Amino acid sequence: MEASYSDRPKHLAHHFAESKQQYDSAKLGMWLFLLTEVLLFGGLFLAYSVFRAWYPETFVNANKELNVILGGLNTIVLITSSVTMALAIRSIQLDRKEATLKYLFVTLLFAFTFLVIKYFEYSHKFHEGQLPGKFYTFEGIDGTNPHIFFSVYFMMTGLHGLHILGGIGVITWMMIRVRKNEFSSQYYTPLELTGLYWHLVDMIWIYLFPMLYLIR
Amino acid sequence: MNTIPEQNFLTAEKGLKSWLTTLDHKRIGILYLISITFFFFVGGLFALMIRLELMFPQDEFFIKLDDFNQVFTLHGVIMIFLVIIPSVPAVLGNFVLPLQLGAKDVAFPRLNLASWYLYMFGASFALFSIFTGGVDTGWTFYAPYSTTIDRSVISMTMAVFIIGFSSIFTGLNFIVTIHKLRAPGMTWFRMPLFAWSIYATGILQVVATPVIGITVVLLVLERLLGIGIFDPTMGGDPVLFQHFFWFYSHPAVYIMILPGMGIISETITAMAHKNIFGYKAIAYSSLGIAFTSFLVWGHHMFVSGQSEFAAMVFSFLTFFVAIPSAIKVFNWIATLYKGSISLDTPMLYTFSFLILFTIGGLTGLFLGTLSVNVTLSDTYFVVAHFHYVMMGGSIIAFLAGLHYWWPKIWGRMYNEKLAKIACGMVFVGFNVTFISQFLLGLKGMPRRYATFTSEFAQLNGFSSWGAFLLGAGLLLTAIYLIHAVYKGKPAGNNPWGALTLEWTTSSPPPHNNFEKSPTAHYGPYDFDKIVVESTLDD
Ligand SMILES: [Cu+2]
């Protein structure tokens, strides 16, 4: 039987019978959304594979122009931010609101750090003329069509960067909602979904890093 | 005498604002219905413009040669992305699916409304494109032509991108709804087959659509930044664009046809008053179609220069797609055997579907055969084939569904006599239009030409008259359906005597769908166990 209206928790939407059903639905929906994200990037992964197969020499030589140190640093930054995100969720499960806020804030800081490092990498490339397609002016990479490598590089890291920006927006919004006491150990679904999203963005970078920076 | 219940979802709230902010899946379905119908008639007008131009062999009889490419492109883009892809899921799926499952709403009502706004936002990009230079690439946007012409390609492809996300969110919403919101007793195998087909469609929407998303993003970047990955002069590959495009667009064919097949499973059982033959075979074949549809995209590229070996594999796999479709058709025919068939309008459309879809499907096998394809590629044979599937399949099934659920949506019945006349006009008009085009294609008339020599004159004239008859039939349909909304006879809860849950609630349904949360006590087509009388008064 359905619970009468008075004992329904505030977060429970009218068309669900109980909290668990709502939670399961939200989670399944999020996983499906993450699947679409994987396929969105999948197109770029395919383009990468095609052109790497066509111009193996170019890819090896062009990859030397990327800064492995900065790329590696960013990898560490993102992985750590995934840890702090997980800690934020753990904290809300224990009803520790202050800790949740703190961990979310640190995650946010890591996200900004990632973008700042990316900014330095990008501006160096802009300066050198290592740009996508027709804007490419750099000379000094052996191999045919080196601009294609940078098209692929900027598309992949650019789309990923946009996802980081999106993540920053969502995490900020989550912090506001935590502050407004909307979450507790009884209900923290949006926070958990944000975590799932953030881990995916992190994961995509874990693939991008070796594919772009570590070709040898 | 039937009456319209005073409290229903249409009367629950009043005013335009209540519609534009509604979270009720039934109202959102109607919002889609209105917008899609509008674009259907816009796309139809473009079709009639094509047929007017091609009525006689003279050049520029009706439209300038330069504009002809625009007109057929807009016809294609609008009909595919703005009409057929959203039609059945977004209109009937939205309205019917939660009712059939015994749910109060879809899993994410706000996302559902957001999908409609995304659709409208995307559609406004399409309109913007039309008024700022248009597109003349064909609906396929092949590079490098699309990346080099001086036309409004970016806004049109952004329209495709945005509407794609609307489609993804609709599919995602339905998958979760089916998983999590089924009423007590509604096991997977007690689900109506329409729900199964919406489920399979949802998988395709979620898995295939992001790929067209990234494809058009790459196209836009190619135009804006010259990234060169589709540009052969820069070491890129235009055939890669075709691979990307068809990896989505072949499954998209099934996004368009699968929900239509679901409708046919509903109408055929309700109209034959008989349990479906091979329930599980039909349910699983929907999933089979969804799966195999990802493996055959290369059959659109037999003459593109892809490797011959790949072409052979794609050709071979294409025949596999025919198997689950054929399973469905045979099961539907077997369902009719010894049924007591009512020849109401939904049934007439169902018969139309069975005939037209079978022709469309079988000619698809001609085209999937490698050697035959090389001859027929880019002729009117291809045009006729996909119109038999898209229009003769999807749109006819959509019309079957509209006529079947119209009395549920509005609580009122349309004029059956006019409906049968219109159905006849549509069927005859459609066949006259496109059988002519099969013959034109066999004679070698290429598609997308604005003019032709006199040997093709007779069949082209014939095809045009068919199109006008088809257009008139559809216009008549719109008129009596709208009339029924205001003046139709109250239809009662269950005008067809069907067994699925949506017929157990009032017509139109109340805001929360059911007075009391329903339980599924029997299968959706157990006509041998349960007898329900039609509520229609004669
Ligand atoms: Cu195909």
Side-chain angles (χ1 to χ4, degrees):
Chain A
M1 274 322 288
E2 280 168 72
S4 72
Y5 248 81
S6 52
D7 41 77
R8 286 170 72 94
K10 205 171 132 227
H11 63 261
L12 185 56
H14 84 286
H15 57 294
F16 290 108
E18 29 132 41
S19 285
K20 181 160 187 321
Q21 187 188 27
Q22 179 170 355
Y23 172 75
D24 289 347
S25 303
K27 214 159 170 185
L28 177 61
M30 192 64 196
W31 277 108
L32 287 168
F33 176 72
L34 296 185
L35 179 63
T36 70
E37 291 279 14
V38 169
L39 281 145
L40 191 74
F41 276 94
L44 295 181
F45 281 93
L46 178 76
Y48 171 92
S49 323
V50 168
F51 292 114
R52 184 165 169 188
W54 280 15
Y55 311 121
E57 200 193 322
T58 310
F59 268 58
V60 170
N61 292 330
N63 135 81
K64 289 178 190 145
E65 298 297 320
L66 301 187
N67 191 327
V68 185
I69 307 281
L70 290 183
L73 196 61
N74 255 348
T75 311
I76 295 168
V77 167
L78 274 195
I79 292 180
T80 322
S81 80
S82 258
V83 175
T84 53
M85 178 54 104
L87 287 171
I89 292 165
R90 185 65 198 147
S91 307
I92 199 74
Q93 284 171 339
L94 301 173
D95 278 318
R96 288 163 51 190
K97 186 183 141 194
E98 289 308 316
T100 311
L101 272 176
K102 191 180 75 194
Y103 284 124
L104 284 177
F105 183 70
V106 176
T107 312
L108 211 52
L109 279 186
F110 280 127
F112 277 112
T113 313
F114 178 90
L115 288 181
V116 169
I117 294 177
K118 206 77 223 157
Y119 168 79
F120 282 117
E121 278 191 82
Y122 272 12
S123 52
H124 178 72
K125 302 244 156 0
F126 274 63
H127 185 73
E128 295 277 333
Q130 294 164 340
L131 287 167
K134 68 177 182 195
F135 295 103
Y136 181 84
T137 53
F138 185 69
E139 284 170 22
I141 292 176
D142 282 341
T144 39
N145 300 310
H147 53 264
I148 289 273
F149 176 83
F150 288 97
S151 294
V152 171
Y153 168 81
F154 276 103
M155 281 183 314
M156 294 183 108
T157 54
L159 187 64
H160 179 260
L162 285 178
H163 280 78
I164 297 273
L165 273 179
I168 288 177
V170 179
I171 293 171
T172 313
W173 180 40
M174 285 304 125
M175 287 177 68
I176 297 171
R177 291 184 69 177
V178 173
R179 283 200 61 146
K180 286 195 334 208
N181 273 329
E182 286 187 30
F183 304 132
S184 66
S185 57
Q186 296 307 303
Y187 174 70
Y188 55 90
T189 314
L191 202 57
E192 182 158 354
L193 302 188
T194 308
L196 283 176
Y197 170 82
W198 192 250
H199 297 320
L200 180 88
V201 174
D202 182 15
M203 257 250 304
I204 288 171
W205 177 259
I206 288 174
Y207 280 93
L208 291 186
F209 175 61
M211 282 170 64
L212 294 167
Y213 291 78
L214 302 181
I215 314 172
R216 283 289 129 81
Chain B
M1 268 307 281
N2 293 314
T3 51
I4 302 282
E6 235 151 74
Q7 280 300 317
N8 62 55
F9 80 99
L10 293 166
T11 58
E13 282 176 289
K14 290 234 174 336
L16 184 64
K17 187 166 166 263
S18 78
W19 280 88
L20 295 178
T21 56
T22 183
L23 297 179
D24 181 346
H25 67 100
K26 303 182 285 306
R27 284 181 164 221
I28 293 172
I30 290 172
L31 290 177
Y32 270 115
L33 176 65
I34 294 166
S35 18
I36 286 171
T37 308
F38 170 76
F39 284 108
F40 183 60
F41 277 90
V42 174
L45 279 180
F46 282 121
L48 292 181
M49 284 164 75
I50 298 171
R51 284 324 312 169
L52 256 179
E53 173 61 33
L54 295 178
M55 218 168 154
F56 303 104
Q58 292 101 299
D59 291 355
E60 312 204 328
F61 167 70
F62 181 68
I63 10 184
K64 291 213 184 67
L65 286 182
D66 260 358
D67 296 337
F68 184 79
N69 292 0
Q70 276 223 50
V71 171
F72 75 67
T73 300
L74 294 175
H75 167 68
V77 171
I78 291 175
M79 284 305 201
I80 289 184
F81 293 108
L82 277 75
V83 179
I84 305 181
I85 287 182
S87 62
V88 179
V91 178
L92 295 174
N94 247 324
F95 195 96
V96 176
L97 179 73
L99 289 167
Q100 283 196 330
L101 298 177
K104 285 189 182 138
D105 208 317
V106 292
F108 311 116
R110 264 182 298 184
L111 185 67
N112 200 15
L113 182 65
S115 306
W116 181 72
Y117 276 102
L118 270 180
Y119 171 86
M120 294 306 278
F121 187 56
S124 65
F125 271 72
L127 290 176
F128 178 80
S129 167
I130 295 177
F131 292 115
T132 54
V135 188
D136 61 356
T137 58
W139 76 280
T140 47
F141 305 115
Y142 273 11
Y145 183 66
S146 59
T147 55
T148 45
I149 45 160
D150 186 22
R151 293 241 184 225
S152 196
V153 179
I154 292 182
S155 54
M156 190 57 95
T157 46
M158 283 327 287
V160 172
F161 182 83
I162 297 165
I163 292 172
F165 272 89
S166 155
S167 173
I168 287 175
F169 291 140
T170 304
L172 185 154
N173 220 334
F174 290 167
I175 293 180
V176 178
T177 307
I178 291 170
H179 268 279
K180 302 292 177 197
L181 291 184
R182 281 171 286 129
M186 178 69 70
T187 58
W188 280 87
F189 291 110
R190 267 192 198 161
M191 263 188 351
L193 286 163
F194 180 65
W196 272 99
S197 74
I198 289 286
Y199 185 76
T201 310
I203 294 175
L204 290 178
Q205 286 172 306
V206 166
V207 178
T209 318
V211 179
I212 191 82
I214 195 71
T215 309
V216 296
V217 166
L218 292 177
L219 192 68
V220 169
L221 289 178
E222 184 89 37
R223 278 185 77 91
L224 285 178
L225 303 175
I227 54 172
I229 73 161
F230 298 140
D231 182 353
T233 62
M234 292 175 74
D237 182 11
V239 177
L240 183 63
F241 177 85
Q242 298 185 24
H243 280 292
F244 271 130
F245 182 83
W246 289 112
F247 183 83
Y248 164 74
S249 293
H250 183 82
V253 171
Y254 290 95
I255 294 178
M256 298 187 253
I257 194 73
L258 267 173
M261 292 169 154
I263 292 174
I264 298 305
S265 300
E266 298 302 313
T267 52
I268 216 159
T269 47
M271 296 291 143
H273 305 96
K274 193 161 158 272
N275 200 341
I276 191 96
F277 185 88
Y279 174 96
K280 283 194 180 174
I282 294 182
Y284 283 133
S285 64
S286 289
L287 298 180
I289 287 175
F291 176 72
T292 31
S293 73
F294 281 105
L295 307 175
V296 298
W297 77 89
H299 65 212
H300 297 270
M301 300 168 57
F302 285 153
V303 295
S304 72
Q306 71 178 348
S307 86
E308 272 174 34
F309 179 71
M312 277 160 60
V313 173
F314 280 127
S315 172
F316 181 72
L317 288 172
T318 298
F319 289 98
F320 273 95
V321 188
I323 296 171
S325 306
I327 288 176
K328 283 177 190 278
V329 173
F330 287 128
N331 279 310
W332 289 325
I333 306 288
T335 303
L336 290 174
Y337 178 68
K338 286 192 173 170
S340 55
I341 302 169
S342 325
L343 290 177
D344 298 316
T345 318
M347 192 64 216
L348 297 185
Y349 274 109
T350 304
F351 279 131
S352 302
F353 173 93
L354 288 175
I355 296 167
L356 302 178
F357 174 72
T358 304
I359 296 175
L362 287 176
T363 50
L365 292 180
F366 294 22
L367 291 168
T369 312
L370 210 43
S371 50
V372 181
N373 181 283
V374 174
T375 320
L376 293 176
S377 195
D378 276 328
T379 67
Y380 262 87
F381 193 90
V382 179
V383 176
H385 155 67
F386 69 70
H387 278 88
Y388 264 87
V389 180
M390 300 288 80
M391 170 98 202
S394 307
I395 295 282
I396 295 291
F398 183 50
L399 287 168
L402 275 184
H403 285 85
Y404 180 62
W405 281 301
W406 205 253
K408 177 52 67 184
I409 299 175
W410 306 102
R412 295 174 186 276
M413 200 54 198
Y414 43 84
N415 183 325
E416 275 259 54
K417 198 175 277 168
L418 281 179
K420 284 175 182 169
I421 293 171
C423 179
M425 288 164 73
V426 168
F427 183 75
V428 174
F430 178 83
N431 279 302
V432 171
T433 312
F434 291 105
I435 287 181
S436 316
Q437 296 189 9
F438 272 130
L439 299 175
L440 281 167
L442 286 172
K443 289 174 107 187
M445 178 160 165
R447 66 190 284 201
R448 295 181 168 173
Y449 277 35
T451 182
F452 50 87
T453 51
S454 56
E455 57 177 312
F456 298 124
Q458 201 178 20
L459 282 168
N460 265 306
F462 208 55
S463 177
S464 292
W465 281 110
F468 301 146
L469 180 61
L470 175 58
L474 290 169
L475 194 64
L476 177 60
T477 308
I479 292 169
Y480 69 74
L481 283 182
I482 294 171
H483 179 264
V485 171
Y486 298 99
K487 297 274 158 70
K489 257 195 331 190
N493 294 355
N494 196 351
W496 316 115
L499 294 183
T500 41
L501 284 180
E502 78 269 28
W503 302 106
T504 60
T505 186
S506 58
S507 313
H511 175 68
N512 273 330
N513 289 353
F514 300 92
E515 292 304 332
K516 219 175 114 233
S517 293
T519 307
H521 293 294
Y522 44 83
Y525 314 114
D526 284 347
F527 290 95
D528 42 349
K529 296 183 197 138
I530 295 148
V531 180
V532 187
E533 292 296 319
S534 159
T535 54
L536 217 54
D537 5 73
D538 288 308

